Structure formats: structure tokens, C-alpha cells
Amino acid sequence: MSNAKNSSADNNELSFEEAYSHLEETVHALEEGELSLAEATRLFEEGMRLARICNELLISAELKITRLQTAFGEQMRLLTEEKKESAED
Amino acid sequence: MKGWARLPVYSVSQITRYLKDVLEADALLRDLWVRGEVSNLSHSAAGHYYFTLKDATNQIRCVMFRPALGGENLVDGGAVAAHGRVSLYEVRGDLQLYVDLVQPEGVGERHLELERLRVKLEAEGLFQESRKRPLPEFPKRIGVATSPFGSVWYDIQNIIQRRFPLVELALAPTPVQGDGAAAGIVDAIEAMNREGGLDVVILARGGGSLEELWPFNEEAVARAIYSSRAPVVSAVGHETDFTIADMVADSRAPTPSAAAELVVPDSEELGKRILFHRRNLFQQVSGNLAARSQELDQTVYRMQRQAPDVPSWRQRIDDLSNAYRRALESYLVMRGERIKALESRLASLSPNSVLARGYAVVQRQDDSELVTSVSQVASGDDLQISVKDGIFPARAFS
């Protein structure tokens, strides 16, 4: 149970870029070989976990949209507000 | 006549110097285009051009030093537009147009201006390849400077939502055509610089006429792009449109949609790469396990070869004990036969066989002593006499 909690906490912390680059490093380390069986198994589990995090991040992502303040943006905003007000009047 | 005498007298050099200063102080003469027909063209060994530009009635001497641009447009009798400054060649007192750029005549004024700006910014190094920054592989925040109306902004959102929705799109709204566009674009890029934390910036607008795309050829826009803190991808008009903004930007995309595809990876492709990594992980570990398991098998086999062969020892013990039993049996049989032989020899040596031949054995009754001499017997002693078929009592007398 505590493991599952830890891994979901890690999910929140890791960005896709971090998870993906760790995944690549893990595969690379395994390919290098000359590891003890225990170490290889640990890397395998870590790699599978990172692959799952990457997939989850990709699947669950929602595009976030923000607007920066520019002079033009302000003008547009004021115009729409004026229109609203005159419509209300 | 007196007035004449009071006028100062200058040397030629003083006058040519003065003329040169006057000409060079004039704003118009410092930076201008002159159109005309080329004549008296000569090309020096050092790579400089000397020629005259003339129209129907007048002419002006021109010189173009290396490495000015557009020398290939110069032919005697050809119509050109030459850009440069007017000054005085003091050695000869000749007024000259010092040309830095020649364009064939017939090109519109906008193009002339565009070419002039291009040459200027290029000389300043705004287009240098070495300055172009690479785009991040996995951006987190993407700035978009474009109009909030119309399909460009919509297309960019759609493509990024589909390809790699792990990002934030920060829209910096700006008009992208008309009088306020250049100032708006500069303002939008400045807003993104103020915001900070953007990994890449897209500057985009859809296709249009040269006039509509003009803001993207303005010097202020070029300098704003150059000053952007995040790498800029320009996507202005269609593939065939090429603006100053495209040249300054770190990357150029042929269309706004292409720019959206350029700045983010494709999650489908990423999914394939992740799958590939997973397979690789699995193969590495199962390969490792298979190798270990084979090693183990070999070790066990070697160990088994070294270990004593218990069944064969058991069989050998069986064999030996069988042999022993057989040997014992035959020994016993042999012994039995010898005993029988001895028995028969014994039988032959028994007194009975002597008795059978008619002898008798005499024993004293009281102590069963065998009587072998007359001295052993006194008158009246009870005796026991054994013959072949039995025993009978007797008494001595004399």
C-alpha cells in the first residue's frame, strides 16, 4: 500500500520530460549490462514504472490555455464590456 | 568692388571639405534610392564598380565598393534602382552616389525597402545561423503571438491538443495586419518576455497579400523577435511567403499549423518510443535471466558429475554381498561334505567294526574302565562285555 502511495506521489512530481529522460537512462543502464541480477531487476521495475508514468501523463493530459495581457487584448476586453453595458442599457 | 575684396578667399581643399560636410549632413542624401539607366560601367580589378546613372536629361556619377550587393544587376543601358548616399570625392571635386545595393528597376518600392532592411539587418548579424537557438524537445509553456480571432489560433490549439496536450499555451493577443499590427506584435513579444518561463514562442498569421504581411517586414518587429527570451518560431502566411520576421526567427515554419507541429513532439510517436523502451527493458531482463538460468544449469550439471554415484555404489554393494553369499554357501556345502567324509572315516575307526569281526570289549562294571590286562581284574569283579550286537554282564572267577 505504501508503495502505491509513493509511486502516485512521484507521478505528481515528475514532469513528462523528467520521467522520459529517466526511462531512457534506465534502459541505457540495463543495456550496458554487467549488473547483478538484483540490480537488473530493480532497474527493470523502475523502468516499467517510468514507462507507465509517461503513458499516464500523455493520456490524462489536458491542454491548458492562458492569456497574457497585451494592449490589444485590453482593447478587445474593453470593447466587449462596452457592448455588454450598452446592451444592458 | 570693395565688397568683393572683403570676401574671404578659400583654398580648394577648404571648399571641397565644406561641400562634403554639407552633403553628408543632409538627411535625405544620407540614405536614398535613385533610379536611372546605367552607362560608362567599369569594373576595377579590386572588385569595385564605377558607372553613371542618367535619365533623359541629367546624370550622376556612381561608385560601388566591394562588397556591396547587387553588382550583377549592373549592365550598360540597364535600368536599376541604386541605394546609397551622396557625397563628394574631394580629390576630383566630383559629386558621387556611393552605392551599397543595386536592384533591377521595375521592382516595387516596398520590395526595395524590404531589400534595404534585409541588407541592413544582415550586416548587423540578426540572421546569423550561429545565433539561432534550438527548440526544446519537450516544452512545458508555449507562447503564441497571434490574433485571438480567426483560424490560426484555433488551428494551433487543435494541433497541440492532438499531438502533445501536456503543455500550457499562453496567448499574447495582437492584431496581425493593418496599421497597429507591428506595434501590437512588438507589444505581444514584450508581454511574453515580461511573463517569462516560456520555453518557445510561435509568431503566426495566415496567408495574405504582400501588403497584409507587411508588419512582419517591419524593423521594429525584427528587433522584437531578436530580443525574445524564448526561441521564436515564425509562421507567416504560406510556404512561399518569406518575411524579415522569418529570417530573424530561430526557426521558420511554412504555415501556422506546421509551427504547432514543430514545437511539440507527437504523443503517438512518443507512445511508440515508450513501448519500444518497455520491450527493450523486458528483453534485457529476460535475457539476463535466461543467461543466469543457463549458468545455473551448467553448474548443477558439473556438480552432479562430481558427486558420488549412489545407485551404482548400491549396486556394487549388492553385487558384492551376493558374491559373498554364494561363496559362503559353497563353503558351507564343501564343509558339510568334508564332515560326512570324516564321519565315515570315524565310523570305520569305531570299535563296533572290530566287534563285528568277533572281538569283544571288556569294561569293569564299577568304573567302566576298559580292561586290557589280567592285572585289572580280580576274582568276583563284575564286568560288562560288549559284542557286535549288544552288551552282556559277566563275572570273573578263578
Side-chain angles (χ1 to χ4, degrees):
Chain A
M1 284 304 282
S2 68
N3 273 347
K5 267 181 196 167
N6 281 346
S7 74
S8 73
D10 287 350
N11 289 5
N12 294 337
E13 283 164 24
L14 279 182
S15 70
F16 180 85
E17 183 176 15
E18 288 164 336
Y20 188 76
S21 71
H22 286 169
L23 173 60
E24 283 185 318
E25 285 163 17
T26 306
V27 175
H28 189 66
L30 260 181
E31 282 171 339
E32 290 282 290
E34 304 301 316
L35 295 167
S36 70
L37 194 58
E39 182 66 2
T41 311
R42 194 191 64 74
L43 282 178
F44 170 74
E45 280 170 2
E46 174 66 4
M48 285 303 191
R49 187 180 76 86
L50 289 166
R52 181 175 51 75
I53 291 172
C54 286
N55 276 329
E56 279 172 4
L57 284 172
L58 276 184
I59 289 162
S60 64
E62 279 287 332
L63 185 64
K64 192 177 160 198
I65 291 170
T66 53
R67 265 188 193 227
L68 305 181
Q69 210 176 34
T70 63
F72 181 67
E74 276 302 282
Q75 281 172 16
M76 292 300 115
R77 194 175 63 76
L78 291 174
L79 273 177
T80 34
E81 273 175 18
E82 272 172 28
K83 269 187 198 163
K84 263 189 207 163
E85 275 166 23
S86 57
E88 280 162 15
D89 292 346
Chain B
M1 293 299 275
K2 274 191 173 177
W4 264 70
R6 264 190 234 117
L7 281 174
V9 178
Y10 298 100
S11 71
V12 171
S13 291
Q14 281 174 314
I15 282 304
T16 53
R17 178 81 245 167
Y18 179 76
L19 274 172
K20 187 177 168 76
D21 288 347
V22 167
L23 291 169
E24 291 187 352
D26 188 282
L28 172 70
L29 296 178
R30 247 192 336 236
D31 177 15
L32 79 168
W33 287 96
V34 180
R35 66 174 97 247
E37 184 188 317
V38 178
S39 66
N40 298 323
L41 175 66
S42 70
H43 190 190
S44 81
H48 312 312
Y49 294 93
Y50 301 93
F51 57 101
T52 303
L53 274 185
K54 62 179 189 181
D55 60 16
T57 52
N58 301 323
Q59 57 184 17
I60 184 170
R61 296 178 74 84
C62 300
V63 57
M64 186 162 90
F65 295 120
R66 212 164 57 113
L69 290 162
E72 71 279 3
N73 296 319
L74 291 171
V75 280
D76 268 322
V80 298
H83 178 269
R85 63 189 171 89
V86 174
S87 188
L88 192 78
Y89 182 42
E90 293 162 279
V91 178
R92 289 199 192 144
D94 284 347
L95 189 112
Q96 290 185 324
L97 178 64
Y98 290 81
V99 177
D100 54 26
L101 175 66
V102 173
Q103 288 276 287
E105 174 57 336
V107 177
E109 274 178 26
R110 285 223 137 137
H111 271 112
L112 290 178
E113 182 50 30
L114 181 62
E115 187 58 12
R116 190 195 61 77
L117 181 60
R118 189 184 72 74
V119 167
K120 178 178 167 188
L121 297 181
E122 181 158 47
E124 283 185 41
L126 265 69
F127 308 149
Q128 265 175 21
E129 280 304 314
S130 61
R131 201 210 71 103
K132 308 237 178 256
R133 294 165 288 188
L135 304 183
E137 190 178 8
F138 300 112
K140 294 186 192 74
R141 298 185 75 212
I142 301 169
V144 183
T146 193
S147 167
F149 314 113
S151 62
V152 168
W153 171 229
Y154 181 78
D155 289 346
I156 288 174
Q157 288 177 72
N158 260 355
I159 286 166
I160 290 182
Q161 170 72 58
R162 173 169 57 75
R163 277 176 68 93
F164 192 69
L166 278 155
V167 295
E168 175 188 341
L169 284 184
L171 174 69
T174 171
V176 288
Q177 71 183 61
D179 286 341
I185 294 164
V186 171
D187 181 44
I189 292 173
E190 281 171 359
M192 291 190 287
N193 281 343
R194 275 197 305 276
E195 172 75 9
L198 297 173
D199 301 309
V200 63
V201 161
I202 298 175
L203 172 60
R205 73 146 283 155
S209 65
L210 178 65
E211 281 68 33
E212 284 171 329
L213 299 184
W214 194 252
F216 295 87
N217 287 321
E218 300 261 2
E219 184 168 351
V221 169
R223 295 200 182 279
I225 293 171
Y226 192 75
S227 76
S228 170
R229 287 164 63 182
V232 177
V233 177
S234 73
V236 180
H238 298 303
E239 180 144 22
T240 48
D241 300 318
F242 222 100
T243 62
I244 295 278
D246 292 322
M247 298 177 208
V248 187
D250 296 273
S251 295
R252 188 225 171 197
T255 63
S257 299
E261 288 176 2
L262 191 64
V263 296
V264 292
D266 184 2
S267 59
E268 202 174 309
E269 165 66 22
L270 279 172
K272 282 183 195 160
R273 273 154 73 180
I274 292 166
L275 185 64
F276 173 78
H277 284 320
R278 290 176 68 140
R279 284 199 184 130
N280 204 347
L281 279 170
F282 194 77
Q283 277 169 7
Q284 292 297 333
V285 164
S286 57
N288 193 326
L289 277 176
R292 297 301 165 103
S293 151
Q294 202 178 346
E295 272 172 33
L296 185 61
D297 281 353
Q298 277 174 0
T299 309
V300 167
Y301 177 68
R302 273 163 47 210
M303 202 173 69
Q304 281 173 339
R305 283 172 58 113
Q306 298 302 320
D309 184 351
V310 173
S312 105
W313 279 108
R314 191 168 284 154
Q315 194 177 350
R316 279 158 85 177
I317 290 167
D318 266 3
D319 289 350
L320 280 176
S321 56
N322 284 342
Y324 174 73
R325 201 173 56 239
R326 277 196 302 276
L328 190 63
E329 277 169 1
S330 63
Y331 174 77
L332 290 176
V333 167
M334 196 181 75
R335 277 281 146 153
E337 277 167 5
R338 263 194 91 178
I339 287 166
K340 275 182 193 159
L342 285 174
E343 271 174 355
S344 66
R345 275 178 68 194
L346 271 177
S348 70
L349 291 172
S350 138
N352 291 345
S353 59
V354 179
L355 299 183
R357 294 208 299 270
Y359 295 90
V361 171
V362 180
Q363 289 168 287
R364 283 208 309 244
Q365 181 82 37
D366 50 356
D367 59 0
S368 294
E369 196 179 332
L370 212 54
V371 178
T372 56
S373 162
V374 287
S375 61
Q376 290 176 274
V377 180
S379 183
D381 283 354
D382 287 329
L383 302 171
Q384 208 172 274
I385 297 170
S386 302
V387 291
K388 180 182 85 175
D389 52 358
I391 295 169
F392 64 91
R395 185 164 294 154
F397 66 95
S398 57

